[in-house]
Amino acid sequence: MEYIIKNGIVYDPTNKIEGEKKDVMFKNGKIVDNVSSDAKVLDATDKLVMAAGVDPHSHIAGPKLVVGRLYRPEDSRRGVKPKTATTRAESGFSIPSCPATGYRYSRMGYGTVVEAAMPPLEAKHTHEEIVAIPNIDIPALALFGNNWFTLEYAKDNNVEDLAAFISKWLKITRGYGVKIVNPGGSEAWGWGMNVHGLDDPVPYWDVTSREVIHTLAEANESLGLPHSIHLHPNDLGHPGNYETTVGSMDLIKDISKNSPVRDQTVHMTHIQYHSYAGTNWRDFESGAEDISKFINKNDYVTCDVGQITLDETTTMTADAPMEFDLHQLNGLKWANKDIELETSSGIVPFIYSGRNSVHSVQWAIGLEMFLMVNNPWQIMLTTDNPNAGPFIRYPKVISWLMSNKRRTEMIEHGEVHKAVGRKSSLATLDREYDFDEIATISRAAPARAYGFTDRGHLGVDARADIAVYDIKPNEIDPSNEYETIECAFGNAALTVKDGQIIVQDGEIVSTKESQTIWANVQGIEERENEVMKKVMPVFDKYYTIKFENYLVHDHYIHNPIEVNIQAGK
Amino acid sequence: MAYEEPIRDYDELVENCTCAFCGCNCDDLTYLIKDGHVVGVRHACRLGASKVMEDMDQRLLVPMIRNDEGNLVETDWDTALDKAAELIAGAVRPVFYGWSETSIETMKHGIKLGELVGAVLDNQATICHGPSLQAVQNAGYPVNTLGEVKNRADMIVYSGNNAMNSHPRHMGRYSAFPRGYFRKRGRFDRTIVTMDPRYTDTAKMSDIWVGFEQNGDYEFYNAMRAVLRGKKLKKDVISGIPKEDIEELVEAMKTTQYGSLFFGLGLTHTLSKQRSIDIAINLIQDLNKFTKWNLVPMRGHFNVNGFNIFMAFEMGFPYGVDFSRGYPRYMNGETNTIDLLTREEPDVFMVIAADPGAHFPGGANRHLTNIPVIQIDIHWGPSTELADIVLPGSFIGVEAAGTSYRMDGVPIYMKKAIDKPETCRDDEWIVRELHERVQKIKGEKIASK
Ligand code: SF4
Ligand SMILES: [Zn+2]
Ligand SMILES: [Zn+2]
């Protein structure tokens, strides 16, 4: 089947198309440059056309999500929708059910979402949920930052073996890249402890976060993985943590990039949570200036924001000691899950409120980051879903970015606490994003950071992952019409995934199975076998499951998109 | 125990099989196979081994339908499936109960069928750890995988659970005995505590037995929390335990390096029900201010946790999920099987891999005698006596592969080792067939309107 989306206003930053009136054509699931006269015409006259969205960091599938759903029926009851002729029933607000997750991303015009934390031992669970999510393609990042084998290799600075271990473990778990969460800290949580800063040794392991990050980054580059290390640094949410954040970015400046498909050697996630100055919650204030300065000067760094949306949400992270602190702070029910040899994790419901000074300043810090990082290719749209807010709030965040008027209103009308004025510079930032920048932070840049060459843009041969929004970029004034912006980005006029029309006028009209993107490194099989000879005795001794049953077989990957990488090339 | 000769007469060994019995999901079993049958099982406990070895005992082998005289008579698969599909398609308030002894793969077809006809899907949690899950929803869920216990724990508490009998390899494989990374001497590096009114086999294996009074658990836990928070106990004896003992115990729990609490139905089903678990969870939270503690419910069936996990990711709720209104509803006391049956609401009941006949209260079973019951199972049991249609399934982890979730949430792929009896079918196949046949009937109905 051939299609032509006619007369839309196209924003495609990858191909340097900035608001051109243009047709977008696709055939057999791919973008093409011409179609026959039989092509079905989809009229988009003067409407906003972009590639489908790419979410670089979201928690949507896996054991943490399920614990959230199990223990928060009060959240599941929000967002209940009956089944329709095309869709299954939906449930959940901050932790939607799998079907709801797929539908809601489609309604926003998204096509790809990275699951940001997969514990290898429970990778099968993550993949079962990926299969249960419709419509979107999902790569999952495997957790390596507190893995016992990583800690050993990092202590010995054994980059070569660590690289082989990563390559093997990505095959075992069908993972896409290397996720690092509070390096050393989540292992320390095995004893109810944490590490602070980069040089605090991990109890019993005689290794520091600095060494873990550096060794993993080196290994990542020696393999030439399509994504860089993906770092949730130490000290999340602590006043004064910006120094640790700067230190974490700085410590890998000597590592050279070894991949043509991306620009960065480190991706810093939910940077908002790591841009705090002050020494305690009283003198807590924004540290966004130092962080953004560093990023502006160093193009080897990309980040996503983790924007606070001021909602009641569910926080969940492999940074388990942080979650326990959060529980001590807000007294809400605490879930925790420690996973043998690999990681820990925690979950706590959280009510972010504009009446609270700290939450409001956190909100402001996220926006400051968006506005103070100059190059939109270095900063990406996320809410660290569901930590800072559910992903269905992206349209709202977009409206804030495009409208200084709205931001000022929120500050002046008391929708956020007045501390925002004293503790951040948000009120002084009048930058407003244009559609090209929005397209960059929500599709082009994330695709680039992950080395996805087949999506995030509308060039010939790209997947036909397309979104049309019911706004006329040449007529609308986003600064004043922020409500229209929010509404349009939340209800795509058209969402196409691999050439299939999924959404029309904000409604799901068809569904498709999700696909799992994973990275298969080739060329170092011998090295892997050598490493496995040393890994296996340890595995057999300390895991409680047999290696054969630890593997994620083909059975769990229904529609794989296997990205083959020649190690080191 | 008499000495048994090792089995030497077998054709083939299949390693790393997973036991389909309790929530330990031991995945290190070796099956000894001869002539297509398992003639020996290595590594399993007696419960697990006997389930596998005696798989042909009282085995349901052929589909059956109850005739007008009230006798189950053999029939062919088509007839039985069509009849079952007809009942399900015509039902107003169908309930699909069980699932804890079958695979996630089977559940996937079950939920499709349930959504299609607006059924209630529920599992054994409704009569076992349901209150534990309610408590989790009240108070939180601080858990760990069993390997954390093996590698780190120096204090292990069993509360209201006799692991030695109910989960016989739990202590040996995961908690008390194994040598862990930080507990190189195994049992010698750990203190084992059993909190139970009964002096159980688990208590006998423990260093400390706290035999509080029947139904005294809430008060006892409350006292522990009070002591932990620095309060003085006013009574000298609480729930039958001298306060000095409580203080000593709390001190030990507070100063241990890594503690792990395993609780069973003995804590969940005493007088205070979910409140006992609430307070156990709160105690764990309090202890984490001093040192490291987690807990894990001792889930019974090998996939009871799996169903809760599966339903949560598919629909947002763990059990007792009612689709009758076209969207999922979960209301304890309203959408659970026992409540529905005692209110005599269901008009068709499908039981898969469970035995309500043996476990449900009389009032609930009485209603089952009045409505059509479809049974999918591998063994003849009390539920077969209630069944009007019997569909013989196959044995997950032996005759059919599938996914299960261990008590701690670790997913395991249970592989297939032998072929099922020729006349049986895989659970997954049966439920898929039912779904397709019901779909067809529903489709025809719409077409004829
Ligand atoms: S402990 Fe449980 S899972 Fe392990 S062999 Fe015994 S019955 Fe099977
Ligand atoms: Zn994170
Ligand atoms: Zn995250």
Side-chain angles (χ1 to χ4, degrees), chain B residues 358-420:
Chain B
H359 302 136
F360 279 6
N365 274 336
R366 190 171 326 115
H367 186 59
L368 286 182
T369 61
N370 296 331
I371 58 168
V373 174
I374 302 158
Q375 184 194 27
I376 303 172
D377 212 326
I378 54 176
H379 294 296
W380 195 292
S383 295
T384 316
E385 303 297 336
L386 296 170
D388 300 288
I389 301 175
V390 176
L391 305 169
S394 59
F395 195 162
I396 309 292
V398 181
E399 301 163 358
T403 307
S404 63
Y405 286 81
R406 210 163 69 178
M407 62 167 69
D408 56 352
V410 171
I412 295 176
Y413 182 71
M414 304 171 72
K415 66 181 179 187
K416 168 185 160 154
I418 56 169
D419 288 330
K420 59 182 170 291

Coordinates of all heavy atoms in Angstrom, one line a residue, chain B residues 358-420:
Chain B
A358 N -11.6 -29.1 46.7 CA -10.9 -29.4 47.9 C -10.7 -28.3 48.8 O -10.5 -28.4 50.0 CB -9.6 -30.0 47.5
H359 N -10.7 -27.0 48.3 CA -10.2 -25.9 49.1 C -11.3 -24.8 49.4 O -11.1 -24.0 50.3 CB -9.1 -25.2 48.4 CG -7.9 -26.1 48.1 ND1 -7.2 -26.1 46.9 CD2 -7.3 -27.0 48.9 CE1 -6.3 -27.1 47.0 NE2 -6.3 -27.6 48.2
F360 N -12.4 -24.8 48.7 CA -13.4 -23.7 48.9 C -14.3 -24.1 50.1 O -14.5 -25.2 50.4 CB -14.2 -23.5 47.7 CG -13.6 -22.7 46.6 CD1 -12.2 -22.3 46.7 CD2 -14.3 -22.3 45.5 CE1 -11.6 -21.5 45.7 CE2 -13.7 -21.6 44.5 CZ -12.3 -21.2 44.6
P361 N -14.8 -23.0 50.7 CA -15.8 -23.3 51.8 C -17.0 -23.9 51.2 O -17.3 -23.7 50.0 CB -16.1 -21.9 52.4 CG -15.5 -20.9 51.4 CD -14.5 -21.6 50.6
G362 N -17.8 -24.6 52.1 CA -19.0 -25.4 51.6 C -20.0 -24.5 50.8 O -20.5 -24.9 49.8
G363 N -20.2 -23.3 51.4 CA -21.2 -22.4 50.7 C -20.8 -22.1 49.3 O -21.7 -22.1 48.4
A364 N -19.5 -21.9 49.0 CA -19.1 -21.6 47.7 C -19.2 -22.8 46.8 O -19.7 -22.8 45.7 CB -17.7 -21.1 47.7
N365 N -18.8 -24.0 47.3 CA -18.9 -25.2 46.6 C -20.4 -25.6 46.3 O -20.7 -26.2 45.2 CB -18.2 -26.4 47.2 CG -16.7 -26.4 46.9 OD1 -16.3 -25.8 45.8 ND2 -15.9 -26.9 47.8
R366 N -21.3 -25.2 47.2 CA -22.7 -25.6 47.0 C -23.2 -24.9 45.7 O -23.8 -25.6 44.9 CB -23.5 -25.1 48.1 CG -25.0 -25.6 48.1 CD -25.8 -25.4 49.3 NE -25.0 -25.4 50.6 CZ -24.8 -24.4 51.3 NH1 -25.3 -23.2 51.0 NH2 -24.1 -24.5 52.4
H367 N -22.8 -23.7 45.5 CA -23.2 -23.0 44.2 C -22.6 -23.7 43.0 O -23.2 -23.8 41.9 CB -22.9 -21.5 44.2 CG -23.4 -20.8 43.1 ND1 -24.8 -20.7 42.8 CD2 -22.8 -20.1 42.1 CE1 -25.0 -20.0 41.7 NE2 -23.8 -19.6 41.2
L368 N -21.4 -24.2 43.2 CA -20.7 -24.9 42.0 C -21.5 -26.1 41.6 O -21.5 -26.5 40.4 CB -19.3 -25.3 42.4 CG -18.3 -24.1 42.4 CD1 -16.9 -24.7 42.7 CD2 -18.2 -23.4 41.1
T369 N -22.2 -26.7 42.5 CA -23.0 -27.9 42.1 C -24.2 -27.5 41.3 O -24.9 -28.3 40.7 CB -23.5 -28.7 43.4 OG1 -24.3 -27.9 44.2 CG2 -22.3 -29.2 44.2
N370 N -24.6 -26.2 41.4 CA -25.8 -25.8 40.7 C -25.5 -25.2 39.3 O -26.5 -24.9 38.6 CB -26.5 -24.7 41.5 CG -27.0 -25.2 42.8 OD1 -27.3 -26.4 42.9 ND2 -27.0 -24.4 43.8
I371 N -24.3 -24.9 39.0 CA -24.0 -24.3 37.7 C -23.0 -25.2 36.9 O -22.3 -26.0 37.5 CB -23.4 -22.9 37.9 CG1 -22.1 -23.0 38.7 CG2 -24.4 -21.9 38.5 CD1 -21.3 -21.7 38.7
P372 N -22.9 -25.0 35.6 CA -22.0 -25.8 34.8 C -20.5 -25.4 35.2 O -20.2 -24.3 35.4 CB -22.2 -25.3 33.4 CG -23.5 -24.6 33.4 CD -23.8 -24.1 34.8
V373 N -19.7 -26.5 35.4 CA -18.3 -26.3 35.8 C -17.5 -27.0 34.7 O -17.7 -28.1 34.3 CB -18.0 -26.9 37.2 CG1 -16.5 -26.9 37.4 CG2 -18.8 -26.2 38.2
I374 N -16.5 -26.2 34.2 CA -15.6 -26.8 33.2 C -14.2 -26.9 33.9 O -13.8 -25.9 34.6 CB -15.4 -25.8 32.0 CG1 -16.8 -25.6 31.4 CG2 -14.4 -26.3 31.0 CD1 -16.9 -24.3 30.6
Q375 N -13.6 -28.1 33.8 CA -12.4 -28.3 34.5 C -11.3 -28.5 33.5 O -11.4 -29.4 32.6 CB -12.5 -29.4 35.5 CG -11.2 -29.6 36.3 CD -11.1 -31.0 37.0 OE1 -11.7 -32.0 36.6 NE2 -10.4 -31.0 38.1
I376 N -10.2 -27.8 33.6 CA -8.9 -28.1 32.9 C -7.9 -28.5 33.9 O -7.5 -27.7 34.7 CB -8.5 -26.9 32.1 CG1 -9.6 -26.4 31.1 CG2 -7.2 -27.2 31.3 CD1 -9.2 -25.1 30.4
D377 N -7.5 -29.7 33.9 CA -6.5 -30.2 34.9 C -5.8 -31.4 34.4 O -6.2 -32.0 33.4 CB -7.2 -30.4 36.2 CG -6.3 -30.0 37.4 OD1 -5.1 -30.3 37.3 OD2 -6.8 -29.5 38.4
I378 N -4.9 -31.9 35.2 CA -4.2 -33.1 34.8 C -4.6 -34.3 35.8 O -4.4 -35.4 35.4 CB -2.7 -33.0 34.8 CG1 -2.1 -32.4 36.1 CG2 -2.3 -32.1 33.6 CD1 -0.6 -32.4 36.1
H379 N -5.1 -34.0 36.9 CA -5.5 -35.1 37.9 C -6.9 -35.1 38.3 O -7.5 -34.0 38.3 CB -4.6 -35.0 39.2 CG -3.2 -35.2 38.9 ND1 -2.7 -36.4 38.4 CD2 -2.1 -34.4 39.1 CE1 -1.4 -36.3 38.3 NE2 -1.0 -35.1 38.7
W380 N -7.4 -36.2 38.5 CA -8.8 -36.4 39.1 C -8.7 -35.9 40.5 O -7.9 -36.2 41.3 CB -9.2 -37.9 39.1 CG -10.6 -38.1 39.3 CD1 -11.3 -37.9 40.4 CD2 -11.5 -38.6 38.3 NE1 -12.6 -38.2 40.2 CE2 -12.8 -38.6 38.9 CE3 -11.4 -39.0 36.9 CZ2 -14.0 -39.1 38.2 CZ3 -12.6 -39.4 36.3 CH2 -13.8 -39.5 36.9
G381 N -9.7 -35.0 40.9 CA -9.7 -34.5 42.2 C -11.1 -34.2 42.6 O -12.1 -34.4 41.8
P382 N -11.3 -33.6 43.8 CA -12.7 -33.3 44.2 C -13.4 -32.4 43.2 O -14.6 -32.5 43.0 CB -12.5 -32.5 45.5 CG -11.2 -33.1 46.1 CD -10.4 -33.5 44.9
S383 N -12.6 -31.5 42.5 CA -13.3 -30.6 41.5 C -13.8 -31.4 40.3 O -14.7 -30.9 39.7 CB -12.3 -29.6 41.0 OG -11.9 -28.7 42.1
T384 N -13.2 -32.5 40.0 CA -13.7 -33.3 38.9 C -15.1 -33.8 39.2 O -15.9 -33.9 38.4 CB -12.7 -34.5 38.7 OG1 -11.4 -34.1 38.7 CG2 -13.0 -35.2 37.3
E385 N -15.3 -34.1 40.5 CA -16.7 -34.5 40.9 C -17.7 -33.4 40.7 O -18.9 -33.7 40.5 CB -16.7 -34.9 42.4 CG -15.7 -36.0 42.8 CD -15.9 -37.3 42.1 OE1 -17.1 -37.6 41.7 OE2 -15.0 -38.1 41.9
L386 N -17.3 -32.2 40.7 CA -18.2 -31.1 40.5 C -18.3 -30.7 39.0 O -19.2 -30.0 38.6 CB -17.7 -29.8 41.2 CG -17.6 -29.9 42.7 CD1 -16.9 -28.6 43.3 CD2 -19.0 -29.9 43.3
A387 N -17.3 -31.2 38.2 CA -17.2 -30.8 36.8 C -18.3 -31.4 35.9 O -18.7 -32.5 36.1 CB -15.8 -31.1 36.3
D388 N -18.7 -30.6 34.9 CA -19.6 -31.1 33.9 C -18.9 -31.4 32.6 O -19.3 -32.2 31.8 CB -20.7 -30.1 33.7 CG -21.5 -29.8 34.9 OD1 -22.3 -30.7 35.3 OD2 -21.3 -28.8 35.6
I389 N -17.8 -30.7 32.4 CA -16.9 -30.9 31.3 C -15.5 -31.0 31.8 O -15.0 -30.1 32.6 CB -17.0 -29.8 30.2 CG1 -18.4 -29.7 29.8 CG2 -16.1 -30.1 29.1 CD1 -18.7 -28.6 28.8
V390 N -14.8 -32.0 31.4 CA -13.4 -32.2 31.9 C -12.5 -32.2 30.7 O -12.7 -33.0 29.7 CB -13.2 -33.5 32.7 CG1 -11.8 -33.7 33.0 CG2 -14.1 -33.5 33.9
L391 N -11.5 -31.3 30.7 CA -10.5 -31.2 29.6 C -9.1 -31.5 30.1 O -8.6 -30.7 30.9 CB -10.6 -29.8 29.0 CG -12.0 -29.3 28.6 CD1 -12.0 -27.8 28.3 CD2 -12.5 -30.1 27.3
P392 N -8.6 -32.6 29.8 CA -7.3 -33.1 30.4 C -6.1 -32.3 29.8 O -5.9 -32.4 28.6 CB -7.2 -34.5 30.0 CG -8.1 -34.7 28.8 CD -9.2 -33.7 28.9
G393 N -5.4 -31.6 30.6 CA -4.3 -30.8 30.2 C -3.0 -31.5 30.3 O -3.0 -32.7 30.4
S394 N -1.9 -30.7 30.3 CA -0.6 -31.4 30.4 C 0.2 -30.7 31.5 O -0.1 -29.7 32.0 CB 0.1 -31.4 29.1 OG 0.3 -30.0 28.7
F395 N 1.3 -31.4 31.8 CA 2.1 -31.1 33.0 C 3.2 -30.0 32.7 O 4.1 -30.4 32.0 CB 2.7 -32.4 33.5 CG 3.2 -32.4 34.9 CD1 3.4 -33.6 35.6 CD2 3.5 -31.2 35.6 CE1 3.9 -33.6 36.8 CE2 4.0 -31.2 36.8 CZ 4.2 -32.4 37.5
I396 N 3.0 -28.8 33.1 CA 4.0 -27.8 32.8 C 5.3 -28.1 33.5 O 5.4 -28.5 34.6 CB 3.5 -26.4 33.4 CG1 2.1 -26.0 32.9 CG2 4.5 -25.3 33.0 CD1 1.9 -25.8 31.5
G397 N 6.4 -27.9 32.7 CA 7.7 -28.2 33.3 C 8.1 -29.7 33.1 O 9.2 -30.0 33.4
V398 N 7.2 -30.5 32.7 CA 7.5 -31.9 32.4 C 7.1 -32.2 30.9 O 7.9 -32.6 30.1 CB 6.8 -32.9 33.4 CG1 7.2 -34.3 33.0 CG2 7.2 -32.5 34.8
E399 N 5.8 -32.0 30.7 CA 5.3 -32.3 29.3 C 5.1 -31.1 28.4 O 4.8 -31.3 27.3 CB 3.9 -33.0 29.5 CG 4.0 -34.3 30.3 CD 2.6 -34.8 30.8 OE1 1.6 -34.1 30.5 OE2 2.6 -35.8 31.4
A400 N 5.1 -30.0 29.0 CA 4.9 -28.7 28.3 C 5.8 -27.6 28.8 O 6.0 -27.6 30.0 CB 3.4 -28.3 28.3
A401 N 6.3 -26.8 28.0 CA 7.1 -25.7 28.4 C 6.3 -24.5 28.8 O 5.1 -24.4 28.3 CB 8.1 -25.3 27.4
G402 N 6.8 -23.6 29.5 CA 6.1 -22.4 29.9 C 6.8 -21.6 30.9 O 7.8 -22.0 31.5
T403 N 6.3 -20.3 31.1 CA 7.0 -19.4 32.0 C 6.3 -19.4 33.4 O 5.0 -19.5 33.5 CB 6.9 -18.0 31.5 OG1 7.4 -18.0 30.2 CG2 7.7 -17.0 32.3
S404 N 7.1 -19.3 34.5 CA 6.5 -19.2 35.8 C 7.3 -18.1 36.5 O 8.4 -17.8 36.1 CB 6.5 -20.5 36.6 OG 7.9 -20.9 36.7
Y405 N 6.7 -17.6 37.6 CA 7.4 -16.6 38.4 C 7.6 -17.1 39.8 O 6.6 -17.5 40.4 CB 6.7 -15.2 38.4 CG 6.8 -14.5 37.1 CD1 6.0 -14.8 36.0 CD2 7.7 -13.4 37.0 CE1 6.1 -14.1 34.8 CE2 7.8 -12.7 35.8 CZ 7.0 -13.0 34.8 OH 7.2 -12.3 33.6
R406 N 8.8 -17.2 40.3 CA 9.1 -17.7 41.6 C 8.5 -16.8 42.7 O 8.1 -15.7 42.4 CB 10.6 -17.7 41.7 CG 11.2 -18.7 42.6 CD 12.7 -18.9 42.3 NE 13.5 -17.8 42.8 CZ 14.8 -17.7 42.6 NH1 15.5 -18.8 42.1 NH2 15.5 -16.7 43.0
M407 N 8.5 -17.2 43.9 CA 7.9 -16.4 45.0 C 8.5 -15.0 45.1 O 7.8 -14.0 45.5 CB 8.0 -17.1 46.3 CG 9.5 -17.3 46.8 SD 9.6 -17.8 48.5 CE 8.9 -19.4 48.5
D408 N 9.7 -14.9 44.6 CA 10.4 -13.5 44.7 C 10.3 -12.8 43.4 O 10.9 -11.7 43.2 CB 11.9 -13.7 45.1 CG 12.6 -14.7 44.1 OD1 12.0 -15.3 43.3 OD2 13.9 -14.8 44.2
G409 N 9.5 -13.3 42.4 CA 9.3 -12.6 41.2 C 10.3 -12.9 40.1 O 10.3 -12.4 39.0
V410 N 11.3 -13.9 40.3 CA 12.2 -14.2 39.3 C 11.5 -15.1 38.2 O 10.9 -16.1 38.6 CB 13.4 -15.0 39.9 CG1 14.3 -15.5 38.8 CG2 14.2 -14.0 40.8
P411 N 11.5 -14.7 37.0 CA 10.9 -15.5 35.9 C 11.7 -16.7 35.5 O 12.9 -16.5 35.4 CB 10.7 -14.5 34.8 CG 11.8 -13.5 35.0 CD 12.2 -13.4 36.5
I412 N 11.1 -17.8 35.3 CA 11.8 -19.0 34.9 C 11.1 -19.6 33.7 O 9.9 -19.8 33.7 CB 11.9 -20.0 36.1 CG1 12.8 -19.3 37.2 CG2 12.5 -21.3 35.7 CD1 12.9 -20.1 38.5
Y413 N 11.9 -20.0 32.8 CA 11.3 -20.8 31.6 C 11.4 -22.2 32.0 O 12.5 -22.8 32.2 CB 12.2 -20.5 30.4 CG 11.6 -21.2 29.1 CD1 10.4 -20.8 28.6 CD2 12.3 -22.3 28.6 CE1 9.9 -21.4 27.5 CE2 11.7 -22.9 27.5 CZ 10.5 -22.5 26.9 OH 10.0 -23.1 25.8
M414 N 10.3 -22.8 32.1 CA 10.2 -24.3 32.5 C 10.1 -25.1 31.3 O 9.2 -25.0 30.5 CB 8.9 -24.5 33.4 CG 8.9 -23.6 34.6 SD 7.3 -23.7 35.5 CE 7.4 -25.3 36.3
K415 N 11.2 -25.9 31.1 CA 11.2 -26.6 29.8 C 10.5 -27.9 29.8 O 10.1 -28.4 30.9 CB 12.6 -26.7 29.3 CG 13.5 -27.7 30.2 CD 14.8 -27.7 29.6 CE 15.7 -28.6 30.4 NZ 17.1 -28.5 30.0
K416 N 10.3 -28.4 28.6 CA 9.6 -29.6 28.5 C 10.6 -30.8 28.4 O 11.7 -30.6 27.8 CB 8.8 -29.5 27.1 CG 8.2 -30.8 26.6 CD 7.6 -30.6 25.2 CE 7.5 -32.0 24.6 NZ 6.5 -32.2 23.6
A417 N 10.3 -31.9 29.1 CA 11.2 -33.0 29.1 C 10.7 -34.2 28.4 O 11.5 -35.0 27.7 CB 11.6 -33.4 30.5
I418 N 9.4 -34.5 28.5 CA 8.8 -35.7 27.8 C 7.5 -35.3 27.1 O 7.0 -34.2 27.3 CB 8.5 -36.8 28.8 CG1 7.6 -36.3 29.9 CG2 9.8 -37.4 29.4 CD1 7.0 -37.4 30.8
D419 N 7.0 -36.2 26.3 CA 5.8 -35.9 25.6 C 4.6 -36.2 26.5 O 4.7 -37.1 27.4 CB 5.6 -36.8 24.3 CG 6.6 -36.3 23.2 OD1 6.9 -35.1 23.2 OD2 7.1 -37.1 22.5
K420 N 3.5 -35.5 26.3 CA 2.3 -35.7 27.1 C 1.6 -37.0 26.6 O 1.9 -37.4 25.5 CB 1.4 -34.5 27.0 CG 1.0 -34.2 25.6 CD 0.1 -33.0 25.6 CE -0.1 -32.5 24.2 NZ 1.1 -32.0 23.5

